[in-house]
């Protein structure tokens, strides 16, 4: 059994398969960008991408995603360390305050824009419906996602 | 003053957007133990004992801690020492913690926590604050002899005369609910004893200094033996003061008793169960006016449910009292305010700090009165609102800053085309399924703590030999961007690029105790201290370089990374000047202390200069009410706030939007369900904060009137934005449906 995390293939031993996925990522791999804020799938802070689809993983075990390709927030920036245009848009539009919702929010938006590169603002709001943010009122998050959309529309592998 | 076209800038944005920021739970410690709290099923009970034997014998458990294990004091609080680290004599609310289980893993600790047995005899609980105030009521704290935590009052003019000369009297009762802060990061602390014996505390808390006081008191060690290290925090909104400090104190105690690092990480349901909330208010309000629309008299009684512990109830209710008439001149005022103990959830500081409740009341009352007078609600506001030189209901003359009430009101009216739109509102007439409404509310707000507390703040600027700059202040980054604001203020004052500056996360062992980062005091107090430190530093640099530049230090100006002597055109670079200082054996190091200007208060009649300066705000909302479903659909919201001077535009706007969102949650969504003292909806699925689709498009109008009382000219914005949406929405719903709502959250009943 293996799992691909941010491009790296990892072996999964039987005891790891039974672990909570959020614990495996945060403790074993030290990928602490994935947050846990509710434990019950209600807030979106733990969202990551499984084969490019967003999933709240706080209730999941590792074996449920074995064999899949996982992208965490740590895997979104370019290899040279520069920000992905969506991340840059979050920075430039003031879409980040405390930042606790940010990883899940960015990944949800990324998956959405991959499929819908020319969204309306209300479609963006619908897409991030499951990601709670207590700080921003979502206005600048929606601004950032809207601003990044043209990049997805014009690149084949965003 | 901020460059309006620049993209947003924050010192921590890159780390946050890449997932690199290490919040407390992300820190790694070798040999770490995990702790979990144990609650009881009770709401009010005499505690006879806690049986920890089975839990202690459970697999992986290292220690089970109860009140008996506290070496220092088990009781503390910022105003009244009634909080317990662990329940000792009684259980006073359902969130009281009776024990802490410490184990090798979190799962082991969780399992063992189930095995702790609580021996307690239930007591009748007091859950209604009005009942709790009556003589003979069951006492929450017997030693105080009463459930009344505090009273405040205002006696201005002659209330009977006020109503005698009034031609119209409007009288209503209002009620507001508990509100959960719902910061996305729950409480968490990691503590370890350093090799030099100092207890190191990392945690999600917004007041490192009160945390240090709590930890040192609980451990019974000097303040110098505890170091609280500023750690990035996933939201606070006023909610991570006392209870977050207790979480740190418990983790510290566990680390002391086990000799190992201990993490105490709260689950969401524990966080909601135990942490304090915004106070529910009941307000009886009577307003007398002349037919021409002059408010002559206000009589009001405010009762705040303080829950089981005092926390900052006296301060919260004090602000409500001072601001109980909204931004209006009223000659005759009689106000009585009570904070009351009950066995309900604890209540304390939350963004707004006593103003969201009274603003809902006052701004609803103004619209109700206008309707009774058959007058425009805007006109009624204009007749009564404070202007330059006005005297507040506590007798404070508003003449030391720009009174921007009319300016913010006009800005919102213009932006929304309010007066034309409000005329088209049906107020329940007509047959459309969805009815349109627009509504507005405005307020003024005293800045910082006012007579609530001792108010001063320190900042340090330490320039390194290569010209790079470290700054540090006593203001804590709560996620609002305080660090970035301080850096921009320093850069502006020193005339250097912000890239030179690094904000050093503060440690309580370095910077002096500068009070709590609440009451929106971050920018004005921290920014004030930074400005004063920067001015001191400039003076020192000028003295060092003036001789070589053949001029007097006072003639030098700092701009564009240069130190310039304008008359001669001579200049030297900032870097060279710093080198020059070191070669002269002078340190480019400065310390700034900003003391809030003096305020005065007479508790007897509630008169005095309550706050050293004020901010002004106005918000409007457009919405649709569906008469079949009762659903409210928000269309568009506009806010104008006077911020003094804008330091960081995108961050300011973020404060507008975030505050408005919380206001919308308060108005329409958030309803902490407390039944017999027990919270029923203790997670984010059932306690509903606004989601992206619940929110309208918002517009932020920043008004700048630099404030002479503020060294940086900036004032505050965190809270004013959070206190107006509820009444604006209530007024808009009335204008749509013709129905007036006196309770929050507003539930529109479907017709027929
Ligand atoms: S932590 Fe997974 S949805 Fe909240
Ligand atoms: S930025 Fe704080 S929760 Fe979204």
């Amino acid at each position: 059994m293996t799992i691909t995390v941010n491009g790296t293939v990892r072996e999964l031993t039987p005891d790891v398969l039974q672990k909570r996925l959020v614990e495996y990522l945060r403790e074993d791999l030290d990928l602490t960008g994935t947050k846990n804020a509710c434990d019950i799938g209600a807030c979106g802070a733990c969202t990551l991408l499984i084969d490019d689809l967003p999933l709240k993983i706080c209730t999941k075990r590792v074996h449920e995603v074995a064999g899949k390709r996982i992208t965490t927030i740590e895997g979104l920036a370019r290899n040279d360390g520069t920000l992905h245009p969506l991340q840059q848009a979050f920075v430039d539009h003031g879409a980040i305050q405390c930042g606790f919702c940010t990883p899940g929010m960015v990944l949800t938006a990324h998956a959405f824009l991959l499929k819908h590169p020319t969204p309306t603002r209300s479609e963006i709001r619908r897409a991030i419906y499951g990601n709670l943010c207590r700080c921003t009122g979502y206005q600048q998050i929606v601004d950032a996602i809207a601003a990044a959309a043209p990049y997805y529309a014009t690149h084949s592998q965003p | 003053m901020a460059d309006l076209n620049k993209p947003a800038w924050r010192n921590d944005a890159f780390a946050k957007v890449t997932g690199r920021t290490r919040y407390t739970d992300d820190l790694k410690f070798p040999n770490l133990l995990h702790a979990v709290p144990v609650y009881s099923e009770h709401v009010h009970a005499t505690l006879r004992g806690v049986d920890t034997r089975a839990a202690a014998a459970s697999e992986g458990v290292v220690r089970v801690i109860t009140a008996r294990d506290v070496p220092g004091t088990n009781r503390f609080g910022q105003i009244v020492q009634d909080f317990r680290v662990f329940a000792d004599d009684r259980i006073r609310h359902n969130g009281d913690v009776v024990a802490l289980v410490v184990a090798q893993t979190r799962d082991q600790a969780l399992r063992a926590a189930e095995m702790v047995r609580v021996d307690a005899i239930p007591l009748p609980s007091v859950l209604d604050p009005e009942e709790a105030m009556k003589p003979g009521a069951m006492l929450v704290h017997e030693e105080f002899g009463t459930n009344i935590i505090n009273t405040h009052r205002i006696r201005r003019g002659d209330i009977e005369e006020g109503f005698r000369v009034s031609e119209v009297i409007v009288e209503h009762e209002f009620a507001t609910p508990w509100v959960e802060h719902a910061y996305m990061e729950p409480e968490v602390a990691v503590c370890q004893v350093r090799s030099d014996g100092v207890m190191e505390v990392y945690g999600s808390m917004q007041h490192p200094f009160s945390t240090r006081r709590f930890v040192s008191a609980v451990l019974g060690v000097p303040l110098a033996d505890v170091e609280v290290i500023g750690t990035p925090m996933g939201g606070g909104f006023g909610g991570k003061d006392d209870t977050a400090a207790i979480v740190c104190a418990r983790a510290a105690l566990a680390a002391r008793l086990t000799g190992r690092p201990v993490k105490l990480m709260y689950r969401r349901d524990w966080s909601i169960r135990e942490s304090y909330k915004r106070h529910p208010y009941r307000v009886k309000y009577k307003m007398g006016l002349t037919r021409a629309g002059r408010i002559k008299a206000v009589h009001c009684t405010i009762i705040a449910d303080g829950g089981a512990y005092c926390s900052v109830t006296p301060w919260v209710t004090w602000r409500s009292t001072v601001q109980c008439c909204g931004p209006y001149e009223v000659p005759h005022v009689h106000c009585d305010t009570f904070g009351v103990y009950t066995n309900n959830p604890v209540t304390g500081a939350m963004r707004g700090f006593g103003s969201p409740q009274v603003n809902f009341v006052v701004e609803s009352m103004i619209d109700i009165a206008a309707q009774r007078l058959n007058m425009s609600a805007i006109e009624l506001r204009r007749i009564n609102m404070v202007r330059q030189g006005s005297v507040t209901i506590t007798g404070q003359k508003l003449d030391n800053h720009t009174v921007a009430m009319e300016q913010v009101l006009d800005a919102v009216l213009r932006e929304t085309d309010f007066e034309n739109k409000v005329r088209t509102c049906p107020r329940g007439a007509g047959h459309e399924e969805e009815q349109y409404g627009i509504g507005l509310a405005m307020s003024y707000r005293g800045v910082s703590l006012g007579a609530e507390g001792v108010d001063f703040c320190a900042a340090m600027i330490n320039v390194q030999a290569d010209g790079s700059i470290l700054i540090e202040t006593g203001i804590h980054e709560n996620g609002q961007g305080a660090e970035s604001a301080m850096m921009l203020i320093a850069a502006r004052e020193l005339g250097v690029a912000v890239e030179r500056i690094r904000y050093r996360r503060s440690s309580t062992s370095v910077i002096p105790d500068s009070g709590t980062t609440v009451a929106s005091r971050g920018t004005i107090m921290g920014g004030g201290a930074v400005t004063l430190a920067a001015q001191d530093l400039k003076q020192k640099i000028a003295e060092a370089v003036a001789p070589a530049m053949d001029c007097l230090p006072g003639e030098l100006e700092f701009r564009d990374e240069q130190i310039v002597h304008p008359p001669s055109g001579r200049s030297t670079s900032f870097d060279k000047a710093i080198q020059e200082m070191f070669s002269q054996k002078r340190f480019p190091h400065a310390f700034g202390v900003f003391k809030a200007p003096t305020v005065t208060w007479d508790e007897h009649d509630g008169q005095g200069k309550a706050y050293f300066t004020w901010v002004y705000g106005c918000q409007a909302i457009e919405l649709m009410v569906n008469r079949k479903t009762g659903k409210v659909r928000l269309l568009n919201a506009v806010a104008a706030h006077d911020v003094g001077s804008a330091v960081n535009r995108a961050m300011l706007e973020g404060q507008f939007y975030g505050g408005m969102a919380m206001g919308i949650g308060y108005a329409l969504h958030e309803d902490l369900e407390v039944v017999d003292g027990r919270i029923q909806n203790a997670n984010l699925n059932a306690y509903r904060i606004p989601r992206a689709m619940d929110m309208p498009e918002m517009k932020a109008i920043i008004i700048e009137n630099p404030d002479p009382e503020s060294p940086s000219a900036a004032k505050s914005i965190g809270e004013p934005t959070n206190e107006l949406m509820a009444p604006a929405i209530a007024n808009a719903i009335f204008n749509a449906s013709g129905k007036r709502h006196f309770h929050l959250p507003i539930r529109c009943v479907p017709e027929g």
Side-chain angles (χ1 to χ4, degrees):
Chain A
M1 279 292 193
T2 63
I3 191 171
T4 308
V5 182
N6 298 334
T8 308
V9 181
R10 296 183 180 270
E11 291 291 328
L12 296 173
T13 56
D15 57 314
V16 169
L17 284 168
Q18 287 315 312
K19 274 196 177 172
R20 294 176 62 208
L21 180 54
V22 65
E23 211 178 298
Y24 170 66
L25 294 170
R26 290 177 48 84
E27 304 296 329
D28 297 13
L29 304 186
D30 197 24
L31 295 171
T32 54
T34 304
K35 302 300 178 205
N36 185 357
C38 75
D39 278 308
I40 60 163
C43 74
C46 62
T47 306
L48 42 75
L49 303 185
I50 313 275
D51 294 340
D52 287 339
L53 291 176
L55 188 73
K56 297 173 185 169
I57 55 120
C58 55
T59 58
K60 302 278 179 231
R61 301 267 160 186
V62 176
H63 67 83
E64 296 176 71
V65 297
K68 305 267 201 268
R69 185 167 50 85
I70 288 186
T71 311
T72 72
I73 190 67
E74 290 89 346
L76 198 61
R78 304 300 192 206
N79 288 336
D80 63 1
T82 55
L83 295 179
H84 185 281
L86 176 61
Q87 290 173 308
Q88 191 63 50
F90 266 66
V91 173
D92 291 346
H93 288 83
I96 302 163
Q97 289 190 33
C98 83
F100 214 72
C101 70
T102 307
M105 197 68 86
V106 169
L107 290 172
T108 302
H110 178 66
F112 169 69
L113 289 174
L114 285 175
K115 291 195 155 179
H116 307 93
T118 54
T120 64
R121 286 180 73 89
S122 70
E123 285 165 349
I124 293 172
R125 288 182 184 277
R126 198 182 312 270
I128 57 169
Y129 182 78
N131 290 77
L132 298 180
C133 174
R134 190 56 153 170
C135 299
T136 65
Y138 308 97
Q139 181 81 15
Q140 288 158 306
I141 292 177
V142 177
D143 292 347
I145 299 171
Y151 170 80
Y152 288 78
T154 53
H155 289 72
S156 55
Q157 278 194 313
Chain B
M1 247 184 262
D3 181 343
L4 304 190
N5 300 312
K6 262 209 195 146
W9 179 83
R10 281 184 71 118
N11 64 332
D12 54 1
F14 182 87
K16 283 178 172 172
V17 82
T18 53
R20 290 181 199 186
T21 300
R22 295 268 172 181
Y23 300 83
T24 303
D25 190 36
D26 305 332
L27 300 170
K28 294 280 188 292
F29 293 82
N31 217 12
L32 182 69
L33 295 173
H34 298 264
V36 309
V38 182
Y39 301 94
S40 82
E41 53 168 329
H42 301 285
V43 169
H44 197 195
T46 305
L47 184 60
R48 296 210 303 187
V50 183
D51 182 353
T52 61
R53 283 167 298 179
S58 174
E59 189 195 350
V61 172
V62 176
R63 180 102 194 210
V64 184
I65 300 167
T66 66
R68 273 197 309 233
D69 301 306
V70 176
T73 165
N74 187 42
R75 301 184 185 193
F76 51 73
Q78 298 189 58
I79 301 173
V80 176
Q81 279 70 49
D82 59 1
F83 260 120
R84 267 70 167 171
V85 194
F86 296 103
D88 46 19
D89 55 344
R90 266 195 202 180
I91 287 157
R92 289 188 171 77
H93 79 122
N94 193 235
D96 270 345
V97 168
V98 294
L100 190 72
V101 176
V102 190
Q104 306 286 354
T105 71
R106 183 169 166 89
D107 284 343
Q108 289 169 337
L110 284 167
R111 264 197 300 278
E114 304 280 318
M115 301 175 197
V116 173
R117 294 283 159 264
V118 178
D119 179 9
I121 303 170
L123 293 166
S125 38
V126 348
L127 302 169
D128 181 324
E130 283 174 72
E131 292 301 317
M133 286 168 66
K134 292 183 181 156
M138 181 81 203
L139 294 177
V140 179
H141 297 268
E142 245 157 20
E143 65 267 40
F144 302 147
T146 170
N147 284 324
I148 296 176
I149 301 171
N150 69 278
T151 59
H152 297 299
R153 50 197 244 154
I154 289 180
R155 301 287 184 266
R156 179 169 183 79
D158 175 348
I159 192 68
E160 276 157 29
E161 169 70 10
F163 283 112
R164 209 180 48 73
V165 298
S166 296
E167 292 157 308
V168 173
I169 290 173
V170 191
E171 192 170 1
H172 289 287
E173 290 187 32
F174 296 80
T176 66
W178 285 278
V179 176
E180 160 64 30
H181 302 77
Y183 23 73
M184 289 310 292
E185 177 200 31
E187 293 78 0
V188 53
V190 185
C191 298
Q192 66 177 355
V193 187
R194 224 162 48 197
S195 55
D196 62 358
V198 168
M199 178 64 69
E200 255 181 31
V201 179
Y202 301 82
S204 183
M205 93 303 279
Q206 64 190 71
H207 192 350
F209 293 101
S210 79
T211 302
R212 183 176 67 157
R213 274 196 294 280
F214 286 8
V215 171
S216 94
V218 167
L219 299 180
V221 302
L223 291 172
D225 289 2
V226 177
E227 182 168 359
V228 181
I229 293 159
T231 308
M233 179 166 134
F237 318 113
K240 283 183 178 160
D241 202 338
D242 326 57
T243 36
I246 294 184
V247 170
C248 293
R250 291 192 194 119
L253 177 58
R256 163 70 26 106
L257 295 175
T258 61
R260 288 170 61 178
V262 174
K263 178 188 282 184
L264 174 53
M265 159 77 187
Y266 266 49
R267 232 166 51 189
R268 176 65 59 185
D269 55 323
W270 306 339
S271 168
I272 294 185
R273 180 176 187 169
E274 186 181 335
S275 71
Y276 58 86
K277 317 287 175 231
R278 177 183 290 159
H279 295 74
Y281 273 34
R282 289 183 200 166
V283 182
K284 297 188 175 70
Y285 208 94
K286 184 174 163 190
M287 183 186 274
L289 308 94
T290 64
R291 284 208 192 289
R294 267 257 162 234
I295 305 173
K296 285 293 181 189
V298 165
H299 186 291
C300 63
T301 310
I302 300 172
I303 297 174
D305 186 338
Y309 303 109
C310 171
S311 184
V312 290
T313 296
W315 296 343
V316 168
T317 53
W318 182 72
R319 183 178 284 276
S320 313
T321 309
V322 173
Q323 296 178 191
C324 74
C325 290
Y328 305 106
E329 283 194 291
V330 184
H332 307 286
V333 183
H334 180 113
C335 168
D336 284 306
T337 303
F338 303 87
V340 185
Y341 283 123
T342 65
N343 297 113
N344 283 317
V346 186
T347 48
M350 183 178 180
R351 191 177 193 177
F353 214 77
S355 64
Q357 297 97 326
V358 295
N359 287 347
F360 170 61
V361 173
V362 174
E363 288 297 277
S364 296
M365 286 294 291
I366 293 285
D367 267 40
I368 296 168
Q371 184 210 355
R372 278 280 299 280
L373 292 166
N374 216 351
M375 176 186 269
S376 134
I378 304 306
E379 189 50 33
L380 184 57
R381 284 183 172 85
R382 282 195 202 281
I383 293 171
N384 295 286
M385 70 189 177
V386 291
R387 295 164 188 274
Q388 203 66 41
S390 284
V391 176
T392 71
I393 60 163
T394 75
Q396 176 174 358
K397 191 161 194 212
L398 301 174
D399 57 1
N400 65 342
H401 63 277
T402 305
V403 176
M405 198 68 260
E406 186 157 36
Q407 200 182 355
V408 294
L409 173 64
D410 285 339
V412 167
L413 294 177
R414 243 192 332 271
E415 178 66 30
T416 53
D417 193 18
F418 190 94
E419 287 175 283
N420 283 321
K421 284 181 178 165
V422 76
R423 275 185 222 120
T424 69
C425 293
R427 292 196 172 175
H431 297 285
E432 279 79 26
E433 188 169 325
E434 274 199 317
Q435 294 179 308
Y436 168 84
I438 185 168
L440 156 160
M442 64 188 207
S443 70
Y444 71 167
R445 179 180 181 90
V447 170
S448 200
L449 298 180
E452 290 160 57
V454 184
D455 211 2
F456 68 127
C457 179
M460 239 159 28
I461 306 183
N462 190 3
V463 188
Q464 307 301 300
D466 62 357
S468 60
I469 301 171
L470 286 167
I471 68 173
E472 186 167 348
T473 74
I475 291 298
H476 191 52
E477 174 67 58
N478 292 347
Q480 79 280 46
E483 292 181 358
S484 306
M486 304 295 121
M487 292 166 73
L488 289 167
I489 287 170
R492 185 165 84 184
E493 190 65 37
L494 294 171
V496 298
V498 74
E499 287 73 21
R500 269 183 194 274
I501 302 176
R502 180 160 291 273
Y503 191 95
R504 187 179 182 281
R505 278 199 194 113
S506 53
S507 139
T508 51
S509 295
V510 180
I511 196 91
D513 186 345
S514 294
T516 178
T517 307
V518 297
S520 306
R521 61 194 284 282
T523 306
I524 192 162
M525 297 301 298
V530 166
T531 304
L532 296 176
Q535 287 168 356
D536 180 39
L537 179 67
K538 287 198 295 190
Q539 173 73 23
K540 287 176 172 158
I541 296 174
E543 280 166 15
V545 300
M549 294 174 77
D550 207 11
C551 64
L552 296 170
E555 295 169 347
L556 292 170
E557 284 177 18
F558 288 65
R559 54 174 132 96
D560 304 327
E561 305 260 311
Q562 302 286 319
I563 294 138
V564 197
H565 182 239
S568 68
R570 279 191 293 273
S571 71
T572 184
S573 74
F574 187 81
D575 283 343
K576 281 226 185 69
I578 296 301
Q579 284 164 15
E580 179 59 27
M581 283 196 78
F582 276 98
S583 70
Q584 294 179 22
K585 301 193 181 69
R586 298 173 191 239
F587 283 118
H589 180 284
F591 190 74
V593 180
F594 178 49
K595 299 187 192 113
T598 323
V599 288
T600 58
W601 187 248
D602 178 344
E603 189 66 49
H604 177 70
D605 57 0
Q607 295 293 296
K609 183 183 174 193
Y611 294 98
F612 66 85
T613 189
W614 295 70
V615 287
Y616 302 85
C618 180
Q619 297 184 355
I621 184 126
E622 295 176 77
L623 50 73
M624 305 293 286
V625 180
N626 186 310
R627 51 201 319 170
K628 282 217 180 101
T629 62
K631 233 181 116 47
V632 177
R633 190 159 60 87
L634 304 178
L635 304 174
N636 185 33
V638 175
H641 290 271
D642 181 359
V643 302
S645 159
V647 178
N648 186 336
R649 183 182 179 86
M651 275 186 338
L652 269 176
E653 289 175 344
Q655 289 294 310
F656 274 67
Y657 303 140
M660 292 160 84
M662 272 194 183
I664 285 168
Y666 193 41
L668 295 174
H669 303 291
E670 299 181 36
D671 195 3
L672 194 79
E673 209 190 321
V674 182
V675 178
D676 294 335
R678 292 183 178 84
I679 296 171
Q680 307 295 306
N681 47 350
N683 208 326
L684 297 171
N685 56 341
Y687 183 83
R688 207 174 168 293
I689 65 170
R691 292 167 182 269
M693 277 168 67
D694 301 327
M695 294 297 301
E697 292 296 334
M698 293 181 275
K699 183 166 171 80
I701 303 171
I702 295 171
I703 308 267
E704 291 183 90
N705 290 302
D707 196 299
E709 299 283 352
S710 162
S712 70
K715 301 210 235 196
S716 64
I717 193 62
E719 295 181 281
T721 56
N722 184 223
E723 61 184 32
L724 289 166
M725 263 298 135
I729 288 174
N731 291 337
I733 288 177
F734 176 82
N735 286 333
S737 68
K739 300 216 171 60
R740 176 55 60 181
H741 293 267
F742 300 96
H743 295 231
L744 295 178
I746 294 169
R747 297 274 177 258
C748 294
V749 183
E751 283 175 23

